[in-house]
Amino acid sequence: KAVGVSAKVIRADLYNTADVMTTIANAYQLNIKEIEKLQDWFYITVREGKAQGQDLARTLGLVISSASEAGVSLNELGAAIAVLSRTQSVSQSMIGLNQMLNAFIKPTLQAQAAARKWGIEISATALQEKGLTNILTELNQKVGGNVEALEKMFGNIRAGRAILSLTGKQFHNYLNVLNEYDIGAGAGMEAFEKQIDTVQNAYERLQ
């Protein structure tokens, strides 16, 4: 049922939706009740960003493994995807976010040295212990969108673009979207029921 509802509310096909939900469930070791809540997660991610549901379902696999390995929560992941998709394509958002997370998981010595100059630790351990939101907050407060500094820390142009967006002008948007997941319980089913009512009303008008 969760697959069908999720596919309906984000307007994606069942195959891709089922496939990515299975990938998420395995990566994050979700139980049945947690899997059912994914319909809210999908709906809010699409609603708050500019990603088409079909594209979201098709490309999420590019970043799920890195996100779960790095200890990034699903809500943090969804908020980052939603915000990044407002200014770039979904595939670019996923690739950039994946490269950004990989920069934490396998940082270069040069990147770590550059981060230390700003009192920041770039490592998988730091990300897992502090959480993505706290790391982004730290970068926002200490580095403040300094492009040159962020490029030295994250190197890869796609990773740099993602981190610059999430710690710069889009930082507060990220926090706002993150809050939507906390208050959005039941949003997916509510959207599903509205779609059903709309279809039923349209059918009745044709009678």
Side-chain angles (χ1 to χ4, degrees):
K1 182 179 178 181
V3 173
V5 172
S6 298
K8 182 70 175 178
V9 298
I10 67 172
R11 293 180 170 85
D13 64 58
L14 281 171
Y15 174 80
N16 281 312
T17 305
D19 184 56
V20 75
M21 286 181 74
T22 300
T23 300
I24 293 172
N26 290 335
Y28 280 88
Q29 298 182 327
L30 304 182
N31 59 41
I32 296 299
K33 288 186 177 180
E34 290 170 329
I35 291 173
E36 291 175 352
K37 293 178 181 178
L38 283 177
Q39 61 200 31
D40 295 332
W41 185 86
F42 275 108
Y43 174 69
I44 293 170
T45 303
V46 170
R47 185 191 69 191
E48 296 299 324
K50 288 189 175 181
Q52 296 295 317
Q54 182 70 2
D55 292 333
L56 178 65
R58 183 174 50 82
T59 59
L60 258 172
L62 295 171
V63 74
I64 289 297
S65 178
S66 295
S68 62
E69 181 181 345
V72 176
S73 74
L74 274 174
N75 289 354
E76 289 176 324
L77 177 62
I81 291 170
V83 168
L84 291 175
S85 72
R86 293 177 181 181
T87 57
Q88 54 189 293
S89 71
V90 184
S91 60
Q92 287 176 324
S93 300
M94 298 297 182
I95 293 170
L97 190 53
N98 184 59
Q99 293 293 329
M100 184 191 86
L101 295 176
N102 282 335
F104 280 99
I105 295 170
K106 296 179 180 179
T108 65
L109 293 176
Q110 293 89 339
Q112 290 180 313
R116 278 196 296 271
K117 291 181 179 179
W118 293 84
I120 294 169
E121 181 186 352
I122 300 266
S123 69
T125 301
L127 184 55
Q128 290 167 347
E129 291 182 350
K130 295 180 180 180
L132 178 62
T133 300
N134 287 332
I135 290 286
L136 294 179
T137 301
E138 188 176 21
L139 284 164
N140 171 263
Q141 294 174 347
K142 293 182 177 180
V143 184
N146 186 311
V147 177
E148 184 179 353
L150 291 172
E151 284 181 348
K152 289 180 179 178
M153 292 182 208
F154 293 90
N156 183 292
I157 188 170
R158 288 172 173 169
R161 187 180 300 165
I163 199 71
L164 179 62
S165 179
L166 293 173
T167 63
K169 294 180 180 179
Q170 297 295 328
F171 173 68
H172 292 290
N173 289 332
Y174 165 82
L175 295 180
N176 290 335
V177 175
L178 188 62
N179 185 57
E180 289 298 317
Y181 292 97
D182 293 331
I183 65 176
M189 181 56 71
E190 183 179 346
F192 175 74
E193 291 173 348
K194 284 182 180 178
Q195 287 184 21
I196 295 300
D197 289 341
T198 299
V199 171
Q200 185 172 348
N201 291 336
Y203 175 76
E204 290 175 352
R205 286 196 296 270
L206 292 173
Q207 299 305 302

